[in-house]
Amino acid sequence: MATASVSGNRENELWRCLGEVNDPELDEPITEMGFVERAAMTSDGSVEIDFRLPTYWCSPNFAFLMLDGVRKALDQLSWAPAYRVKLHDHMFADEVNRGMEAGKSFGDIFALLAEDQDLGGLRETFAIKAFKRRQEAVLRGLKAHGLTDREILGMDLPAYDVARFEPGEAAKQKPRYRAALLERFPNRRADDPVFVTWEGPRIPSGALSAHLAELRGVRINMEFNGALCRGLKQTRYKELDVVDGEPTLVDFIMDRVPARTAPTA
């Protein structure tokens, strides 16, 4: 019984850590996007991850950023297991899998393909979009609660932390925006304004409407890309019922059910 309890706790921890890895372009968890086809623990406590993307030609940069995020998440597991991460059905799957297994960097894996790629710049571009999308959701939620522009933009962290939303996008993005804000500005004081631009200046109360219009454009673009990504995934693979919040994919061609064990509550 104790062994089963430990196994269940570890599997819950595994899925929780994987759920903190985002598609960098969409700022949505890879588990919710259905990219983690299989996450299983073996009898010796090691972990096996099977990962598939919506198309054969998905950007290798994006594939690496997500898989690198998976690798970092697995490194944080409390029982420090050995693990194998395998990318399936991608034009660079062999190169990625060999490189990931060897612990190589993106440049090592893709060699000439990566020599002109600025992954640092790419990460920052995605971080900016995520920051803006999360902020917009919270701002819209606060306006829906009837707060004035001045009240919203005058919020500091203590006021922000006590704000409450009904279940929905604003509630989902509230802790995520807080995390993005403190990652961007780690030395921020508790009495500093919560709602600032990516560059750091406070948003003037008279400019909130224009600021929201800019953020709306970012969100719509990300939502469109997300819908396209989901549509391509659903066309390429059959999607079975969600099991305890974790989607399971089955290849149309292979028509097989991948081995996996759903996390327990």
Side-chain angles (χ1 to χ4, degrees):
M1 181 67 68
T3 301
S5 176
V6 169
S7 177
N9 290 338
R10 286 181 173 181
E11 190 155 12
N12 287 336
E13 181 186 347
L14 170 61
W15 281 103
R16 185 171 61 252
C17 286
L18 290 174
E20 294 174 357
V21 181
N22 292 327
D23 178 307
E25 183 182 25
L26 307 177
D27 192 39
E28 296 187 35
I30 59 173
T31 50
E32 293 184 13
M33 293 300 297
F35 296 160
V36 180
E37 177 185 351
R38 175 174 171 268
M41 293 194 308
T42 64
S43 58
D44 63 2
S46 62
V47 171
E48 295 179 348
I49 305 291
D50 289 319
F51 196 86
R52 289 204 290 187
L53 294 168
T55 71
Y56 182 76
W57 55 87
C58 281
S59 166
N61 298 12
F62 295 1
F64 174 80
L65 290 175
M66 282 183 272
L67 288 169
D68 191 45
V70 169
R71 181 167 58 181
K72 290 175 180 176
L74 296 176
D75 283 338
Q76 295 174 3
L77 292 172
S78 61
W79 72 100
Y83 57 79
R84 175 197 59 78
V85 180
K86 188 172 184 179
L87 174 64
H88 294 271
D89 307 334
H90 189 272
M91 60 182 175
F92 291 116
D94 290 342
E95 291 87 344
V96 170
N97 292 334
R98 284 196 298 266
M100 294 292 287
E101 186 175 354
K104 292 183 179 179
S105 69
F106 181 84
D108 290 334
I109 294 171
F110 292 100
L112 294 177
L113 287 176
E115 65 181 6
D116 295 326
Q117 300 292 332
D118 177 11
L119 279 187
L122 191 62
R123 289 183 192 273
E124 182 176 18
T125 296
F126 291 144
I128 292 171
K129 290 182 177 181
F131 180 92
K132 291 181 175 180
R133 184 180 187 183
R134 298 176 189 186
Q135 185 187 81
E136 191 233 13
V138 180
L139 287 171
R140 287 192 296 120
L142 291 170
K143 286 183 72 69
H145 270 266
L147 274 71
T148 66
D149 291 2
R150 186 175 297 277
E151 288 171 332
I152 293 170
L153 297 177
M155 275 189 167
D156 56 15
L157 276 175
Y160 182 87
D161 289 341
V162 299
R164 294 291 180 266
F165 299 103
E166 297 297 324
E169 189 65 12
K172 173 183 175 182
Q173 298 297 347
K174 181 173 178 272
R176 302 182 82 226
Y177 174 66
R178 190 187 200 280
L181 176 72
L182 295 182
E183 181 176 357
R184 172 63 174 161
F185 305 105
N187 297 321
R188 199 157 200 82
R189 298 178 309 183
D191 59 351
D192 285 337
V194 171
F195 296 109
V196 295
T197 66
W198 173 260
E199 292 75 21
R202 183 174 188 161
I203 303 165
S205 59
L208 182 56
S209 293
H211 182 71
L212 278 170
E214 175 195 344
L215 301 187
R216 180 175 179 270
V218 173
R219 170 175 54 85
I220 289 174
N221 178 265
M222 295 175 77
E223 288 178 345
F224 174 81
N225 287 336
L228 177 63
C229 189
R230 287 185 176 89
L232 290 170
K233 174 176 67 69
Q234 290 169 3
T235 298
R236 190 180 190 195
Y237 303 115
K238 295 176 183 177
E239 186 166 353
L240 301 185
D241 292 339
V242 172
V243 180
D244 290 339
E246 307 303 339
T248 299
L249 303 180
V250 178
D251 196 307
F252 267 122
I253 299 174
M254 298 182 69
D255 196 25
R256 61 179 175 81
V257 177
R260 69 181 295 277
T261 303
T264 57

